[in-house]
């Protein structure tokens, strides 16, 4: 048996822009300007790691732990408010078709996301019923590139990581998946996803056959 584990933000649902908008708003209040390239570098990181990187970028390393918690909570509140407007139309191209194909062949699937709001996003977009296994930031404290979140997802699916594929859009997620022992499909720009076994622009380029071929290529 083999399985596929999906990241959420930027892979299944177009929520990466909502995170970016919330971080840019928070940074603006702190007098920090964030470029698009910098915002892309935050993909795959959890909330506190992202905030730490922003504060370091802006030279605001004097901000203490209590204030960091307050800032992170403010950003999350803005982000959660923006989720109220999510609908199935925010599911990215090719996602439904690929999930339909995997379901047809009875390939187990899971979501592994550092976001603590993953289940809310899945509910809002109508994807929740498609995943019996969801591992999020509430279940796993160690953020990518630590492999724990993917190891836990494969454990819950009852599949060895060596018999699985991870679909990711962040360099930290690609590294985490490789450290877990799985094959990796990167979604995005090849230069931003080093180590991915295959890179696609979106899930319309993926098929069940292409995913299975990746798993088979890892066999001894």
């Amino acid at each position: 048996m083999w399985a596929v584990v999906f990241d959420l933000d930027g892979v299944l649902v177009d929520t990466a822009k909502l995170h970016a908008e919330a971080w840019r708003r928070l940074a603006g209040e702190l007098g920090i300007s964030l470029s698009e390239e910098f915002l892309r570098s935050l993909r795959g990181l959890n909330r506190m790691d992202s905030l730490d990187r922003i504060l370091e970028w802006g030279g605001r390393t004097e901000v203490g732990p209590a204030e960091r918690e307050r800032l992170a909570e403010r950003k999350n509140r803005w982000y959660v408010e923006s989720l109220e407007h999510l609908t199935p139309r925010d599911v990215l191209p090719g996602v439904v078709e690929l999930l339909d194909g995997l379901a047809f062949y009875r390939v187990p699937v899971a979501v592994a996301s550092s976001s603590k709001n993953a289940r809310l996003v899945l509910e809002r977009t109508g994807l929740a019923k498609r995943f019996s296994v969801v591992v999020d930031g509430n279940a796993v404290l160690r953020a990518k590139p630590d492999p724990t979140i993917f190891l836990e997802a494969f454990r819950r699916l009852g599949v060895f990581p060596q018999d699985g594929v991870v679909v990711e859009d962040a360099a930290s997620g690609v590294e985490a998946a490789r450290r877990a022992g799985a094959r990796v499909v990167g979604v995005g720009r090849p230069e931003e996803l080093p180590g991915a076994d295959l890179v696609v622009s979106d899930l319309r380029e993926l098929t069940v056959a292409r995913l299975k071929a990746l798993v088979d290529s890892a066999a001894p």
Side-chain angles (χ1 to χ4, degrees), residues 122-135:
L122 291 170
E123 288 289 346
R124 291 285 183 189
T125 55
L127 293 176
K129 61 183 178 294
R130 292 178 174 270
F131 296 95
S132 59
V133 171
V134 177
V135 185

Side-chain angles (χ1 to χ4, degrees), residues 171-220:
S172 59
V174 171
E175 181 181 348
R178 289 184 62 85
R179 289 173 64 185
R183 304 296 270 181
V184 193
V185 174
V187 181
R189 304 176 182 177
E191 64 271 19
E192 295 179 352
L193 299 164
D197 299 291
L198 171 67
V199 178
V200 297
S201 58
D202 61 47
L203 297 198
R204 286 175 292 190
E205 298 178 31
L206 277 183
T207 62
V208 176
R210 291 190 81 181
L211 291 169
K212 182 62 164 63
L214 273 182
V215 174
D216 292 342
S217 69

